[in-house]
Amino acid sequence: LASLHARIHAAPGDGLPWGFLYTVRRGDTLYSIARRFGWSASYLASVNQLWNPDQIYAGQVLQIPYH
């Protein structure tokens, strides 16, 4: 759990009404990130305007909406 918190810029209640920012780490895929936070990969691709969801990279910051 500590490693997950290290990758999240803002947690619920930190002033972002729509969600939080997540920094992609080596080995992450959009599918694995989406699954972790309860969304589909296609939805996260849309939210983050990713033209090719197979090409995310370590250090990239993604928006993860709240449910």
Side-chain angles (χ1 to χ4, degrees):
L1 188 60
S3 64
L4 178 63
H5 286 291
R7 292 185 263 173
I8 297 175
H9 292 290
D14 280 352
L16 298 174
W18 48 265
F20 57 92
L21 302 175
Y22 175 82
T23 302
V24 177
R25 296 204 39 167
R26 188 170 166 235
D28 279 344
T29 64
L30 192 62
Y31 176 78
S32 68
I33 296 166
R35 211 171 116 174
R36 183 177 310 141
F37 295 110
W39 295 110
S40 69
S42 61
Y43 177 69
L44 286 188
S46 175
V47 166
N48 287 281
Q49 300 178 349
L50 301 175
W51 300 112
N52 185 346
D54 294 325
Q55 291 184 349
I56 63 171
Y57 56 89
Q60 183 174 5
V61 178
L62 300 176
Q63 299 175 34
I64 309 294
Y66 296 138
H67 282 271

